[in-house]
Amino acid sequence: LFLENVVTHPDFLSGNYDTSFIDTKPELFKFKPRRDRGTKLLNYIGHIIVNGYENLPKVEKKPHFEPPRIPKTSVSQPYPSGTKQILDREGAGGLVRWIQEQKKVLITDTTFRDAHQSLLATRVRTYDLVAIAEATSKLAPELFSIEMWGGATFDTSMRFLKESPWERLQLLREKIPNILFQMLLRGANAVGYTNYPDNVIREFVKASAENGIDVFRIFDSLNWLPGMQLAIEAVRETGKIAEAAICYTGDILDPSRTKYTLKYYIDLAKELEKAGAQILGIKDMAGLLKPYAAYELVRALKQEIGIPIHLHTHDTSGNGGAMLLKAIEAGVDIVDACVSSMSGLTSQPSLNALIAALERTERDTGLNLENYNKLADYWHDVRTYYQGFESEMKSSNTEVYIHEMPGGQYTNLEQQAKAVGLGGRWDEVKAMYATVNKLFGDIVKVTPSSKVVGDMALFMVQNNLDEHSIYEKGERLDFPDSVVQFFQGYLGQPPGGFPKRLQEIIVKGRECFTDRPGERLEPIDFAEVKKELEAKIGRTPSDLDVLSYIMYPQVFLDFEKSKKEYGDLSVLDTPTFFYGLRPGEETAVSIEKGKTLIIKLAGVGDLLPDGTRIVYFELNGQPREIRIRDHS
Ligand code: 3PY
Ligand code: ZN
């Protein structure tokens, strides 16, 4: 209960007018000023103007941005029907049959998720996704699906952008009613970095399906089947599509790489089909699948399994487009690509280029290139807002064949390295990443196993350790938690098991196990957690809030705190969200249908002796002064 002031005191509320409690509790007379939405937003913008956005270096002047070019689609033009209607009408089985009848290669657009996860550290905001949603839906109704959720977006939307991943899903669903929505689900790790109890996976899948997800790409970060089975079942129970993925690592054409061979992948694919997968994903998260290897792999899989094949890659090496074409020649059913202005490098190959490459061929995508070029203009413009999150990487780079780092991790780990003061030693971190992989016995590296490798690489570079010193000094080293837990078996089992000697050095006598972590995790009592959360946040949380809290307890509480202090920040345009306003600049903020606030910055006062500054605004023409603590 929140004894904020006297009028909320239970004795007062109960009509007990013996007010003696007032004498002993003078703090009850502290009334917090009611903070309306406008004031909250002014507080946020003022804070950004004075202190900068916490995850970007502070800039003296807000950069100038042109408004993005949003393609004109007539509002009265009805939504063309698409794959979503096929699923709704004919069910998962019907949709799979439809895929198999297609001659054309089907396309998934990853711009809304993996492209910005890979290029911009997952920082693209709901505001910018929603702004282009309707146009995408109307200009590209031939898409198989739009990947727009899951992976790192769940965490980062709350952690860095202070917005709700669920609202993102709901808003986009409203604007895109015709194309299948696809998410990336990390098997028993859901959208987190650790295994969750079975009932959490079930509830999470159910809620995701209810709120708009149609295709679930399920993978396990060690290609460990027991880590995926439950998620596959849970998805099938919802009537949606379970796409289970093999994560590709190594090189099937290199005879010296004996662990991840063509046979290894085929066996795994067969097991996934048996486990209930309705589509087989090939998840080439680092872009290691080379063109001729892709041809071999797809051709063999087409012979060995009966379900459609969906290929995902990253263009880090520059071979991405060529690889997709070879896979298409070999008969792959669906491939992932993204809008050209968000493509290439650690992201997906260009969807525009792919449309052009296949035009007037047997496997023509059916998508309209001119339309996609309009979408590319929009993303070209919007991408500039996120320039502070761009990687140093300026060209494709075949060193990925050595470090094998997933595209979706690259910019995120780069940011992490900068945050711990290793920005200047990024080359060493990448080289160490490869060393750690060898040390760990050559594992599949994808979230969360890739994070473990990344944490270990940062740890080793920071402490000037090499492979030998790990064995020599390891007994005395305190390894990162993620590394210890990994070797205990919390993420499941890698093919061939853990290197024994290293495991002993790292776990230092702690318990290790080889069974499925979900089996030893107590089911979550959702009602109990809801009560606990209610006590913490002082309001009744929704079931979706409870799921967010279970996935990311502290991140969710911090997000909640931000909401209390600043209100709903997803309504701000992105330049204002990251950079505030320039003196004299004005922005219109639509806080609900029919309600717009006009916020103008008049000026910023000098630093006062108490460490604050007054920021002078106009809110709907009325002068407003906001006092902001200067953290510099
Ligand atoms: C994720 O799990 O976020 C990934 O993108 C893995 O490739
Ligand atoms: Zn990816």
Side-chain angles (χ1 to χ4, degrees):
L1 201 57
F2 294 85
L3 302 181
E4 230 175 28
N5 59 48
V6 66
V7 296
T8 57
H9 193 280
D11 285 359
F12 186 86
L13 293 173
S14 69
N16 171 1
Y17 291 118
D18 168 12
T19 53
S20 60
F21 68 92
I22 290 170
D23 304 330
T24 56
K25 291 202 158 49
E27 71 273 17
L28 294 176
F29 275 92
K30 281 201 192 125
F31 289 83
K32 254 204 204 154
R34 200 177 76 81
R35 301 226 289 173
D36 58 278
R37 283 185 285 182
T39 310
K40 287 181 177 179
L41 288 175
L42 294 187
N43 268 284
Y44 177 78
I45 298 172
H47 162 66
I48 293 297
I49 290 167
V50 172
N51 297 307
Y53 176 71
E54 66 174 321
N55 301 293
L56 281 176
K58 188 170 182 258
V59 290
E60 274 319 305
K61 260 204 199 133
K62 178 180 179 179
H64 188 78
F65 301 105
E66 292 295 330
R69 288 166 285 173
I70 299 180
K72 288 193 185 40
T73 51
S74 141
V75 187
S76 58
Q77 176 196 335
Y79 281 98
S81 90
T83 46
K84 172 80 176 147
Q85 278 66 51
I86 303 178
L87 175 66
D88 289 349
R89 198 173 58 229
E90 295 172 34
L95 183 82
V96 170
R97 273 194 301 282
W98 176 85
I99 297 170
Q100 280 163 330
E101 286 160 9
Q102 304 307 304
K103 206 159 190 186
K104 63 181 177 188
V105 66
L106 296 168
I107 309 286
T108 292
D109 184 342
T110 60
T111 310
F112 285 31
R113 201 284 299 181
D114 204 2
H116 75 89
Q117 179 171 329
S118 300
L119 290 180
L120 304 171
T122 336
R123 296 307 206 274
V124 171
R125 299 173 63 243
T126 298
Y127 189 98
D128 297 319
L129 299 169
V130 169
I132 195 65
E134 183 172 339
T136 306
S137 168
K138 291 180 174 173
L139 294 175
E142 303 85 359
L143 284 171
F144 170 71
S145 66
I146 295 178
E147 196 210 31
M148 41 61 70
W149 215 62
T153 62
F154 197 89
D155 174 15
T156 47
S157 58
M158 292 191 287
R159 187 190 297 266
F160 298 120
L161 309 175
K162 305 301 177 200
E163 58 185 39
S164 158
W166 299 104
E167 271 172 34
R168 176 180 299 185
L169 174 54
Q170 292 157 352
L171 288 170
L172 289 175
R173 188 74 278 180
E174 235 172 77
K175 300 263 179 193
I176 308 182
N178 55 342
I179 303 168
L180 294 172
F181 273 2
Q182 177 151 350
M183 78 167 286
L184 184 66
L185 184 71
R186 301 166 177 161
N189 307 303
V191 287
Y193 296 94
T194 181
N195 269 232
Y196 294 98
D198 290 355
N199 68 334
V200 171
I201 300 298
R202 282 187 200 285
E203 285 305 313
F204 184 81
V205 164
K206 201 163 139 246
S208 308
E210 282 166 3
N211 283 277
I213 297 297
D214 304 299
V215 180
F216 293 75
R217 177 173 290 155
I218 302 159
F219 71 96
D220 178 79
S221 78
L222 297 170
N223 272 344
W224 195 50
L225 189 68
M228 292 186 261
Q229 257 157 340
L230 183 102
I232 296 174
E233 272 168 39
V235 170
R236 295 213 48 164
E237 278 163 25
T238 66
K240 304 288 186 165
I241 310 279
E243 172 181 319
I246 53 177
C247 295
Y248 182 85
T249 191
D251 181 359
I252 55 169
L253 297 185
D254 179 350
S256 73
R257 305 280 306 251
T258 51
K259 198 162 184 176
Y260 303 99
T261 59
L262 181 61
K263 179 171 180 319
Y264 165 83
Y265 291 115
I266 296 205
D267 290 348
L268 183 58
K270 284 181 170 167
E271 286 181 71
L272 291 173
E273 184 177 28
K274 232 187 319 168
Q278 290 149 305
I279 297 179
L280 178 79
I282 301 174
K283 183 170 165 53
D284 177 25
M285 58 280 169
L288 301 179
L289 183 59
K290 294 173 181 168
Y292 292 91
Y295 188 85
E296 290 302 317
L297 179 63
V298 171
R299 202 178 52 162
L301 286 171
K302 280 306 268 183
Q303 283 163 5
E304 302 284 346
I305 61 171
I307 51 178
I309 299 175
H310 190 166
L311 175 59
H312 172 82
T313 191
H314 290 255
D315 202 15
T316 318
S317 73
N319 268 330
M323 189 281 275
L324 290 184
L325 289 179
K326 290 306 290 179
I328 290 165
E329 273 178 37
V332 75
D333 298 273
I334 316 164
V335 300
D336 285 10
C338 66
V339 73
S340 54
S341 47
M342 290 286 285
S343 74
L345 304 178
T346 52
S347 175
Q348 275 66 61
S350 160
L351 206 158
N352 306 51
L354 191 64
I355 296 172
L358 294 168
E359 258 173 358
R360 289 173 285 280
T361 70
E362 244 192 341
R363 304 214 66 198
D364 192 322
T365 62
L367 285 152
N368 182 301
L369 182 56
E370 214 176 297
N371 287 354
Y372 247 93
N373 288 343
K374 289 183 193 157
L375 296 174
D377 287 342
Y378 172 81
W379 282 104
H380 167 274
D381 298 348
V382 161
R383 184 168 171 177
T384 59
Y385 304 163
Y386 298 90
Q387 61 198 19
F389 302 106
E390 293 272 0
S391 157
E392 305 291 326
M393 194 182 208
K394 294 288 172 282
S395 63
S396 59
N397 197 326
T398 47
E399 74 180 4
V400 68
Y401 295 127
I402 296 162
H403 61 62
E404 301 190 337
M405 195 184 293
Q409 182 179 27
Y410 197 96
T411 48
N412 291 275
L413 186 62
E414 206 179 14
Q415 294 283 331
Q416 223 182 313
K418 280 184 191 157
V420 295
L422 294 179
R425 297 175 73 186
W426 179 233
D427 281 342
E428 277 176 76
V429 173
K430 283 186 286 185
M432 192 60 87
Y433 192 95
T435 304
V436 172
N437 178 49
K438 253 197 260 137
L439 197 63
F440 284 9
D442 192 5
I443 60 168
V444 172
K445 292 163 295 301
V446 61
T447 325
S449 65
S450 54
K451 180 171 181 304
V452 177
V453 174
D455 289 349
M456 183 73 168
L458 290 177
F459 173 78
M460 286 173 69
V461 172
Q462 217 164 11
N463 295 293
N464 299 309
L465 297 164
D466 61 16
E467 210 171 333
H468 297 293
S469 44
I470 294 291
Y471 284 103
E472 278 160 22
K473 303 189 207 157
E475 314 283 358
R476 281 167 281 133
L477 291 172
D478 216 357
F479 291 98
D481 287 348
S482 67
V483 177
V484 176
Q485 285 163 10
F486 173 68
F487 277 89
Q488 285 181 276
Y490 278 105
L491 298 184
Q493 303 295 311
F498 293 101
K500 280 282 163 288
R501 172 88 190 97
L502 185 65
Q503 187 178 34
E504 280 165 19
I505 289 173
I506 288 177
V507 303
K508 299 191 173 47
R510 291 179 186 87
E511 188 192 8
C512 293
F513 39 86
T514 52
D515 54 356
R516 199 171 64 82
E519 246 143 52
R520 35 181 76 230
L521 296 169
E522 282 293 318
I524 292 275
D525 181 339
F526 286 95
E528 204 46 52
V529 175
K530 192 167 189 162
K531 254 196 263 160
E532 170 193 316
L533 181 56
E534 177 160 3
K536 283 189 177 161
I537 64 178
R539 65 173 178 89
T540 307
S542 70
D543 291 348
L544 299 179
D545 289 334
V546 173
L547 279 168
S548 302
Y549 174 67
I550 290 168
M551 290 288 146
Y552 289 99
Q554 195 52 47
V555 172
F556 181 81
L557 293 176
D558 291 346
F559 170 42
E560 190 67 20
K561 195 164 145 241
S562 158
K563 275 197 286 191
K564 287 215 171 87
E565 200 169 349
Y566 298 133
D568 174 10
L569 293 174
S570 71
V571 294
L572 290 178
D573 65 89
T574 297
T576 305
F577 179 80
F578 286 137
Y579 299 104
L581 294 169
R582 272 182 232 99
E585 190 187 359
E586 173 176 292
T587 187
V589 184
S590 159
I591 53 171
E592 62 184 72
K593 260 207 181 90
K595 191 155 188 192
T596 299
L597 303 175
I598 307 292
I599 299 175
K600 181 172 176 178
L601 176 68
V604 182
D606 291 335
L607 185 62
L608 299 170
D610 67 352
T612 64
R613 290 176 191 271
I614 306 295
V615 183
Y616 301 90
F617 288 103
E618 275 173 29
L619 179 62
N620 291 339
Q622 299 294 316
R624 291 288 295 269
E625 292 179 10
I626 302 283
R627 183 183 291 272
I628 301 288
R629 179 152 302 283
D630 186 327
H631 297 306
S632 63

